[in-house]
């Protein structure tokens, strides 16, 4: 007989936490190894018990999003699934970028949640379909906005930005375009202002994203 998937449930609402724990316990193949209600609980459980999958809310003492990188620092192989009411694209993006392997909403049924846990335990990632669509839409809009920002640059500013993005220093850009170095610096200042970025690297990233968007 194979061992069940070891699950920890971290949520600061006792009734919800108990409901999830009870529901999963009634499904074959799951073992609830711990419960908690805060970031500190999550860190302790990750360090001491190393569950296969940790279900964790965003809204709890210490913050679920804050907990993700700290947990992975302690236990790099820990698989985390956010189980939350938040449908905000920023929260989904932050959770996934921080290392969470799954993001599901609290309205999910117990059988569907069990399927998600099994998928994540086996190495897959999962985001609720409605959130995936929203995420793609917001990313497309962001890329479109970046394309518009790049288009707002003058022809000379676009030339300078392309060369900077290729890795050239201001001195090399000046030589390539037969300009004074201080003129290139002035152009870069204008470019960063128009693109709402603070450094050359961010400006180059905006250009790359805009090019990728045009190529799609």
């Amino acid at each position: 007989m194979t061992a069940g998937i070891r699950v920890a449930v971290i949520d600061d609402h006792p009734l919800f936490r108990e409901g999830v724990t009870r529901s999963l316990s009634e499904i074959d193949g799951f073992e609830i190894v711990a419960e908690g209600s805060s970031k500190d609980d999550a860190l302790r459980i990750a360090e001491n018990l190393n569950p296969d999958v940790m279900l964790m809310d965003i809204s709890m003492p210490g913050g679920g999003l804050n907990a993700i990188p700290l947990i992975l620092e302690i236990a790099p192989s820990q698989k985390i699934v956010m189980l939350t009411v938040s449908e905000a694209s920023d929260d989904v993006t932050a959770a996934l970028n921080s290392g969470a392997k799954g993001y599901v909403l609290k309205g999910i049924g117990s059988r569907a949640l069990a399927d998600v846990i099994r998928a994540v335990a086996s190495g897959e990632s999962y985001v609720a379909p409605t959130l995936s669509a929203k995420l793609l839409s917001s990313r497309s809009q962001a890329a479109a906005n970046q394309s518009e920002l790049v288009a707002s640059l003058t022809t000379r500013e676009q030339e300078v930005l392309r060369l900077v993005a290729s890795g050239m220093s201001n001195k090399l850009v000046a030589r390539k375009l037969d300009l004074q170095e201080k003129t290139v610096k002035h152009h870069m200042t204008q470019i960063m202002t128009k693109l709402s970025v603070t450094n050359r690297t961010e400006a180059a990233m905006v250009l790359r994203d805009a090019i990728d968007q045009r190529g799609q």
Side-chain angles (χ1 to χ4, degrees):
M1 183 177 175
T2 58
I5 297 172
R6 301 170 67 254
V7 179
V9 183
I10 318 296
D11 192 291
D12 65 337
H13 290 90
L15 284 176
F16 179 80
R17 187 175 68 241
E18 290 165 13
V20 171
T21 298
R22 185 171 57 254
S23 295
L24 290 177
S25 298
E26 293 172 354
I27 299 175
D28 288 340
F30 293 93
E31 178 189 357
I32 306 300
V33 297
E35 294 181 39
S37 61
S38 67
K39 178 187 76 175
D40 291 342
D41 287 343
L43 294 174
R44 174 179 50 77
I45 290 167
E47 183 172 21
N48 297 332
L49 297 174
N50 191 31
D52 297 317
V53 176
M54 180 177 288
L55 298 178
M56 186 166 63
D57 194 6
I58 283 181
S59 178
M60 66 181 190
L65 293 177
N66 296 332
I68 298 172
L70 299 176
I71 291 169
L72 295 177
E73 191 175 316
I74 293 171
S77 63
Q78 178 66 68
K79 295 180 174 70
I80 301 170
V81 174
M82 307 310 291
L83 181 57
T84 178
V85 297
S86 175
E87 298 184 39
S89 295
D90 286 349
D91 285 342
V92 181
T93 301
L96 299 179
N97 287 346
S98 295
K101 297 300 183 184
Y103 196 105
V104 294
L105 299 175
K106 284 189 173 181
I108 191 170
S110 58
R111 295 285 170 181
L113 178 59
D115 288 341
V116 172
I117 295 172
R118 290 190 193 99
V120 170
S122 69
E124 298 177 29
S125 296
Y126 180 89
V127 176
T130 54
L131 299 179
S132 294
K134 187 184 293 187
L135 206 56
L136 286 173
S137 175
S138 64
R139 284 176 176 171
S140 297
Q141 184 58 49
N145 290 342
Q146 288 175 326
S147 294
E148 291 174 8
L149 288 173
V150 171
S152 74
L153 302 178
T154 65
T155 301
R156 176 62 87 188
E157 287 168 349
Q158 291 187 31
E159 284 181 322
V160 170
L161 180 55
R162 287 193 186 93
L163 294 175
V164 167
S166 73
M168 285 190 180
S169 65
N170 286 347
K171 184 176 290 186
L172 287 176
V173 172
R175 192 176 301 165
K176 176 81 173 178
L177 297 178
D178 195 23
L179 298 171
Q180 295 289 326
E181 187 176 351
K182 65 180 181 181
T183 303
V184 173
K185 288 181 180 178
H186 172 72
H187 283 312
M188 279 309 302
T189 299
Q190 292 296 105
I191 289 167
M192 289 188 288
T193 298
K194 289 182 179 181
L195 299 184
S196 299
V197 297
T198 58
N199 57 54
R200 298 159 65 92
T201 301
E202 290 177 357
M205 288 173 64
V206 170
L207 176 65
R208 280 196 290 271
D209 286 346
I211 291 172
D212 288 345
Q213 177 67 13
R214 286 202 295 269
Q216 290 178 359

